[in-house]
Amino acid sequence: MPDPFAGAPDEALLVAYANGDGQAAKVLTQRLLPRVLGQATRILGNQTEAEDVAQDAMMRLWKIAPDWRQGEAQISTWLYRVVANLCTDRLRKRRGGVSLDQVAEPLDGSPSVTAQMQTKDRLTALSDALAQLPERQAQAVSLRHLEGLPNPEIAQIMDISVRSVESLTARGKRALADIMAGRKAELGYDDDEPE
């Protein structure tokens, strides 16, 4: 049986869900949840907290479905903003930085224990370094360089101008470089390898 939602835009799926179609919600969840969970995991550095945030964000999407104003924003942009705000709230509550115990295990299957440990050390170092940045810089850097979003979409998510995104991203990258400067050898990077 062919999928009636194959190729349907996110907005059409949300409208179908609002009109009582549970299959539309399932398809939209399969599309959006991995990205939402990935964003939350990278920002928070904690898989359990990220899962809570992702679930909360999706629940908010389902609640607003009947009132969704078509054409005003992309659903993914709205959802990224919700996740960013929920993560920011959690980071403000914990305000300390991320411990090694809070960093999620690497998601990819590295070939050896040594490679897995190195990947974990690098993720921990990045997470710790991001935690030292001002929240807006960390959010902009994460969305741009970890999520791969374009600056105009980040501007919508953060409710700022594209120029502000560029400025926050540039300052955040410089600050990260300064924070990580003395750790290249420790993290297994040689001088020719890009970080």
Side-chain angles (χ1 to χ4, degrees), residues 3 5-7 10 25 28 36 39 54 58-59 71 76 85-86 93 110 113 117 119 122 134 154 160 166 169 185:
D3 180 2
F5 297 112
D10 294 348
L28 193 56
V36 167
Q39 177 193 13
M58 293 303 293
M59 291 305 295
S76 60
N85 289 339
L86 290 170
K93 285 180 186 170
S110 298
V113 172
M117 289 173 60
T119 299
R122 287 175 176 182
I154 296 169
I160 58 178
E166 292 167 353
T169 304

Side-chain angles (χ1 to χ4, degrees), residues 70 95 166:
Q70 295 184 22
R95 268 285 193 237
E166 292 167 353

Side-chain angles (χ1 to χ4, degrees), residues 36-47 50-51 87 104 107 127:
V36 167
L37 184 57
Q39 177 193 13
T41 301
R42 282 186 279 279
I43 293 172
L44 295 172
N46 179 296
Q47 185 70 28
E51 288 170 359
C87 289
L107 298 177
S127 184

